[in-house]
Amino acid sequence: MKKISRVLWGIVLIAAGGIFALNALNITNIDVFFDGWWTLFIIIPCFVGLFTEHDKIGNLIGIAIGVFLLLCCQDILSFSVLWKLLVPAIIIIIGLKMVFSGIFGNKANEIISKIKQNGGEPKVGCATFSSCNLNYYNEIFEGAELTAVFGGAKCDLRNAIIDKDCAIQATAVFGGIDILVPSNINVKVSSNCIFGGISNKTAAQKDCPTIYISGTCMFGGIEIK
C-alpha cells in the first residue's frame, strides 16, 4: 500500500510541476488558481486513499464533499443546494456500503457469531468516557468485541495464544482503539468509517492464523500494530 501511495502522489506532483513549468515557458496558460482550487486538497487525498487505504467509505464521502464544494465555487450549484444534496449523497454511500457488506459477508462477524452459537463468549472491552486496557497474556484468544465512546481502549494480544483464525469487532465513536498483535499473525480489516479511519501497520505473513477485524469509526480511529 505504501508503494502505491508513493507512486500516486509522485504522479500528482509530476503533473503539478509539469503544469507550472509549461506555464512559466508560456507554452500553456492553465489557470491553476481557478475558483475553488482549494477543494483539490480534499478531493485528491481522498481519491488517493481509495487505492491505498482500507477505509473506502470515508474517502468516498470526502470526495463527495470536495466535488460538491467545487461545483458551488464554480457557480454550477448554490451552497443552499449543497446542503440539500450532501446529506442524501452521504446516506446513499453508507447504504451502498451496507449492501455490499451484506452481499459479500463479513468474516469477523461470522466468526463472532459462530463463537456465540457454540456457547462461547467473546471477550468484551468497553470504554465510555473512560479507558480500558485488556491484556491477554498467555490466554487462548478466539474473539473480542471492543467499544470506545468518548474514551480509549487498548487490546494487547502480543502474548496471547492464537492457534486458529479469530476475530475482533471494534467500534470507535469519538474515541480511539489500539490493537497490538503478535508479529506472526495475519491481519485482515473490513471497515465502515465516517470522518474517522483505521490504520493497519502490520505486515503480511505466510502460513499463519489470521485475525479478522471489523471496524466501525465515527469521528474516531482504530490503530492496529
Side-chain angles (χ1 to χ4, degrees):
M1 290 295 184
K2 291 182 179 180
K3 290 183 179 180
I4 296 175
S5 179
R6 285 197 294 267
V7 170
L8 291 175
W9 278 114
I11 292 173
V12 170
L13 292 175
I14 290 171
I19 291 172
F20 281 115
L22 292 173
N23 283 349
L25 295 172
N26 294 321
I27 297 174
T28 60
N29 186 25
I30 300 174
D31 184 8
V32 294
F33 296 108
F34 54 86
D35 292 339
W37 63 271
W38 52 270
T39 60
L40 295 180
F41 289 101
I42 300 174
I43 297 171
I44 293 177
C46 290
F47 180 77
V48 173
L50 287 177
F51 302 93
T52 60
E53 298 177 7
H54 292 286
D55 175 23
K56 310 298 183 185
I57 187 76
N59 286 306
L60 286 172
I61 291 174
I63 290 173
I65 292 173
V67 170
F68 278 129
L69 289 172
L70 177 59
L71 293 175
C72 290
C73 292
Q74 292 289 322
D75 293 327
I76 297 174
L77 293 177
S78 67
F79 281 97
S80 61
V81 175
L82 168 65
W83 300 115
K84 294 179 181 178
L85 294 178
L86 187 58
V87 173
I90 292 175
I91 293 174
I92 290 171
I93 292 172
I94 295 173
L96 289 173
K97 170 69 175 180
M98 295 175 67
V99 169
F100 283 112
S101 296
I103 293 175
F104 297 107
N106 186 304
K107 186 67 173 180
N109 295 341
E110 291 176 4
I111 293 175
I112 295 295
S113 296
K114 188 174 181 180
I115 292 173
K116 294 179 179 179
Q117 289 173 1
N118 293 335
E121 282 295 332
K123 303 289 186 179
V124 176
C126 183
T128 304
F129 292 97
S130 62
S131 62
C132 176
N133 192 348
L134 304 177
N135 192 326
Y136 299 97
Y137 182 80
N138 206 29
E139 291 185 37
I140 297 176
F141 180 81
E142 293 183 337
E145 296 175 326
L146 308 174
T147 303
V149 181
F150 291 97
K154 180 179 178 182
C155 178
D156 193 343
L157 301 174
R158 289 174 295 182
N159 296 304
I161 300 173
I162 303 175
D163 52 12
K164 62 179 181 179
D165 290 351
C166 52
I168 295 176
Q169 291 178 330
T171 302
V173 180
F174 290 97
I177 298 176
D178 291 329
I179 302 174
L180 309 180
V181 302
S183 58
N184 61 338
I185 292 294
N186 276 318
V187 175
K188 292 188 177 181
V189 179
S190 61
S191 62
N192 187 13
C193 303
I194 303 174
F195 299 110
I198 298 178
S199 173
N200 181 10
K201 297 182 178 179
T202 63
Q205 305 292 331
K206 293 183 178 180
D207 302 322
C208 294
T210 298
I211 299 178
Y212 293 90
I213 298 177
S214 174
T216 300
C217 301
M218 182 176 293
F219 296 96
I222 299 172
E223 185 171 359
I224 307 158
K225 53 188 177 180

